[in-house]
Amino acid sequence: MPDIHFSIFVAMFFFLGGSCLLNLHQRYQQRQRDLPQRESYLSTAGLTEPACDSCGAMDLHEFGLLHGTDDRRIVTCTACKKQLYQFRRESAADNSDWAKIGDPNE
């Protein structure tokens, strides 16, 4: 067996494991960015108001793409957990906590 220190094996394990996790996270984020816009989703699914096209549930959950107050929102079905569409929140800059940081009027 070659004289490779155990610490090199540990470092390589963490480096390769971290790069695999980062790759998985980036692919998950890209799938969210590739979701159709709300209008496109509704017209493709033949719906007049937002609902899940798989299970028909009307109970939907939205969250920010990068953080909770992000104006780019991802909508998923709460029943089957399918990612449905994305949209941009218009008044996010006015209502977000991030916009209030450093505001002298607060």
Side-chain angles (χ1 to χ4, degrees), residues 53-102:
D53 60 348
S54 294
C55 67
M58 300 286 288
D59 191 21
L60 305 177
H61 172 70
E62 73 173 61
F63 57 91
L65 179 64
L66 299 177
H67 52 80
T69 58
D70 193 3
D71 63 338
R72 191 170 184 180
R73 311 301 287 176
I74 305 298
V75 178
T76 61
C77 175
T78 55
C80 68
K81 309 291 188 232
K82 180 182 177 187
Q83 295 180 353
L84 302 175
Y85 60 89
Q86 64 176 314
F87 69 95
R88 284 208 180 267
R89 193 168 47 182
E90 297 298 326
S91 62
D94 300 334
N95 296 333
S96 73
D97 293 335
W98 294 94
K100 295 178 184 175
I101 295 175

Side-chain angles (χ1 to χ4, degrees), residues 3-101:
D3 288 332
I4 299 176
H5 293 284
F6 180 71
S7 60
I8 293 175
F9 283 121
V10 171
M12 288 299 294
F13 172 76
F14 281 111
F15 176 74
L16 292 175
S19 64
C20 288
L21 285 176
L22 184 61
N23 186 11
L24 286 173
H25 178 69
Q26 287 177 342
R27 290 191 320 193
Y28 179 72
Q29 287 270 314
Q30 190 60 44
R31 278 197 312 264
Q32 289 179 338
R33 286 185 179 98
D34 292 341
L35 287 172
Q37 293 294 321
R38 181 184 352 208
E39 297 78 19
S40 175
Y41 171 78
L42 292 175
S43 66
T44 302
L47 301 170
T48 56
E49 59 185 54
C52 181
D53 60 348
S54 294
C55 67
M58 300 286 288
D59 191 21
L60 305 177
H61 172 70
E62 73 173 61
F63 57 91
L65 179 64
L66 299 177
H67 52 80
T69 58
D70 193 3
D71 63 338
R72 191 170 184 180
R73 311 301 287 176
I74 305 298
V75 178
T76 61
C77 175
T78 55
C80 68
K81 309 291 188 232
K82 180 182 177 187
Q83 295 180 353
L84 302 175
Y85 60 89
Q86 64 176 314
F87 69 95
R88 284 208 180 267
R89 193 168 47 182
E90 297 298 326
S91 62
D94 300 334
N95 296 333
S96 73
D97 293 335
W98 294 94
K100 295 178 184 175
I101 295 175

Side-chain angles (χ1 to χ4, degrees), residues 100 102-106:
K100 295 178 184 175
D103 189 3
N105 297 328
E106 291 290 317

